Amino acid sequence: MLQIHDPKATERTMPLFRLGFRPLFLFGSAFSILALSLWVLQMLGLISIQPHGNLLWWHGHEMLFGFTAAIIVGFLLTAVQNWTGNPGLSGTPLKALVLLWLLPRVMLINNSWVPFEAVMLLDLAFLPISAWVLAEAVIRVKQWRNLIFVPVLLLMTLANAISYYGLLSSNPGLSHNALYGAAFIVVFLIALLGGRVIPFFTERATKWQRRPNLPWLEAANFIAIGALVITVITQFNTALPWAAGISSLLLLVRFCRWGGQHSLGTPLLWSLHLSYLCIPLGLMLIASGLPVSAGFHLAAVGGMGGMILAMMARVSLGHTGRTLTPPKPMTVCFGLILLGAALRATASLVPSFYLTGIWMAGIAWVLAFGGFCYFYGKLLCQPRLDGRPG
């Protein structure tokens, strides 16, 4: 399908705001470095910050709804241009959306700037507006298959709203579980996207031939993850090990069908495979009865963080007209994020290693995403090499 666009309008738009992945990948990654650095420095007692809510809530909330949400929206608003053949969000509307994402990030860092309720309303608007933009583009060309991402974004909004409500109603347990639930909604989304792109990328880059999806396995995976989300949010703790164990097993079976053994010579592939693997391994730790924080952070740092880093590295090359060969130091960055996941999970399992593990994992994250900002920042601010929109 041909992409219809006005070349003159594209030329007048600053390259950074020509498609959603550009500002949201760059600003989202830079924000994660800032937020995680502040969190680690506070944990070590080197600085003192007073964010809205409380420090623990702010850390979890901002890594999910500050960093992760920005990358997800950037990816979807970029992918929808390919899906539909119509121009994606760009120019002034994109700038407005990025500003809507950025303002709550700034306001939440200090609880003396803006009333909490005002920040909440701004923050809760970002994902629904992004979902509306996505839905409008998909419905226009009747691509109902891709409409599934809209309810996922709205479910994330609901989890975000519950986390705010938990704080406002002095129910920190509810707020805490809402953030866990939001993380597993992201796991659902990664499972959905991973099943589409990982085997496809592996087939295109290697001699491995992709296997057709098994409808029963796909359905079972998403039902199991949905049950896990409900279990977490409703605080049905006795069912959590079972829900996590079943989800882990199904995700592993699915993963084993994606030709991971053929990806080891290609950093853009093995980073996707190994990062995705962190999710079922993290759920397996949760199912085993070990501290939930260990399994959760293995899935969050290694699974979500690693998949995000690998996808950003690939999408940023492909959608700027470059060859799919990342700078060689990015291979180290892919490894660092997996190392950070292992360190953070170990910190939750070994009390004597807790603070050390946190700052070491934090450094690994900062170096990994700092590498992305350094090696891709200039690229994201330049026009496509082939002159196409985006």
Side-chain angles (χ1 to χ4, degrees):
M1 186 178 293
L2 294 176
Q3 294 175 335
I4 302 170
H5 69 286
D6 180 356
K8 292 184 178 179
T10 298
E11 291 175 4
R12 289 194 299 267
T13 302
M14 183 188 307
L16 182 60
F17 292 99
R18 290 184 182 177
L19 204 54
F21 77 98
R22 291 176 176 270
L24 289 170
F25 282 10
L26 184 58
F27 296 160
S29 297
F31 173 74
S32 79
I33 294 170
L34 173 64
L36 202 61
S37 297
L38 292 175
W39 163 252
V40 171
L41 292 172
Q42 174 78 20
M43 290 290 289
L44 295 176
L46 298 177
I47 64 170
S48 178
I49 60 172
Q50 295 181 323
H52 276 293
N54 58 68
L55 190 66
L56 182 61
W57 177 86
W58 174 81
H59 167 64
H61 182 273
E62 291 303 272
M63 293 307 291
L64 281 166
F65 294 105
F67 163 66
T68 305
I71 308 305
I72 289 172
V73 168
F75 175 83
L76 291 176
L77 294 186
T78 300
V80 76
Q81 177 169 282
N82 283 351
W83 298 338
T84 66
N86 293 314
L89 195 70
S90 64
T92 300
L94 179 57
K95 291 177 184 178
L97 186 67
V98 172
L99 183 63
L100 180 62
W101 166 81
L102 180 61
L103 286 175
R105 314 286 70 85
V106 175
M107 294 173 179
L108 280 169
I109 290 178
N110 191 312
N111 62 19
S112 64
W113 293 358
V114 181
F116 187 54
E117 292 80 1
V119 182
M120 175 184 70
L121 292 175
L122 274 175
D123 190 39
L124 290 175
F126 174 68
L127 286 176
I129 290 175
S130 301
W132 178 82
V133 173
L134 181 67
E136 192 275 334
V138 169
I139 292 171
R140 192 190 315 159
V141 295
K142 300 181 180 179
Q143 285 190 345
W144 310 119
R145 175 172 178 257
N146 291 318
L147 203 60
I148 188 173
F149 297 105
V150 173
V152 173
L153 293 181
L154 296 180
L155 283 173
M156 286 183 66
T157 304
L158 177 61
N160 193 11
I162 294 173
S163 78
Y164 277 109
Y165 175 76
L167 288 180
L168 293 172
S169 61
S170 300
N171 187 344
L174 177 62
S175 185
H176 179 75
N177 283 303
L179 294 181
Y180 270 113
F184 290 122
I185 292 171
V186 175
V187 166
F188 179 98
L189 184 58
I190 287 177
L192 181 63
L193 290 171
R196 289 190 182 188
V197 303
I198 295 177
F200 173 70
F201 291 163
T202 304
E203 182 181 46
R204 290 194 64 178
T206 69
K207 296 180 180 179
W208 174 77
Q209 186 172 358
R210 181 173 29 157
R211 302 178 185 179
N213 287 339
L214 299 176
W216 69 266
L217 181 59
E218 298 297 302
N221 265 274
F222 298 122
I223 291 171
I225 297 172
L228 178 61
V229 173
I230 294 171
T231 299
V232 169
I233 292 180
T234 58
Q235 304 180 53
F236 190 17
N237 294 331
T238 55
L240 180 59
W242 288 98
I246 293 170
S247 295
S248 173
L249 179 62
L250 290 170
L251 286 168
L252 278 173
V253 172
R254 193 165 174 253
F255 169 81
C256 289
R257 296 172 48 81
W258 292 349
Q261 68 274 20
H262 300 281
S263 70
L264 299 181
T266 309
L268 279 180
L269 286 181
W270 64 250
S271 56
L272 285 170
H273 283 275
L274 293 182
S275 296
Y276 188 95
L277 183 60
C278 287
I279 294 175
L281 293 181
L283 294 177
M284 194 179 296
L285 286 180
I286 294 174
S288 70
L290 293 170
V292 171
S293 177
F296 173 78
H297 280 96
L298 182 59
V301 178
M304 288 186 276
M307 280 285 291
I308 283 172
L309 185 63
M311 284 298 297
M312 287 196 306
R314 193 185 198 284
V315 169
S316 298
L317 292 172
H319 283 274
T320 55
R322 270 75 176 178
T323 58
L324 298 179
T325 305
K328 288 185 179 180
M330 283 302 298
T331 303
V332 177
C333 296
F334 297 145
L336 280 170
I337 203 68
L338 297 172
L339 174 62
L343 289 167
R344 184 59 187 84
T346 303
S348 294
L349 295 173
V350 183
S352 60
F353 184 66
Y354 184 70
L355 280 178
T356 302
I358 282 181
W359 69 256
M360 290 179 69
I363 289 175
W365 181 287
V366 168
L367 291 175
F369 281 88
F372 174 82
C373 291
Y374 179 79
F375 291 111
Y376 284 81
K378 185 177 179 180
L379 177 152
L380 292 171
C381 296
Q382 294 175 341
R384 284 187 64 120
L385 291 181
D386 53 15
R388 294 171 60 191

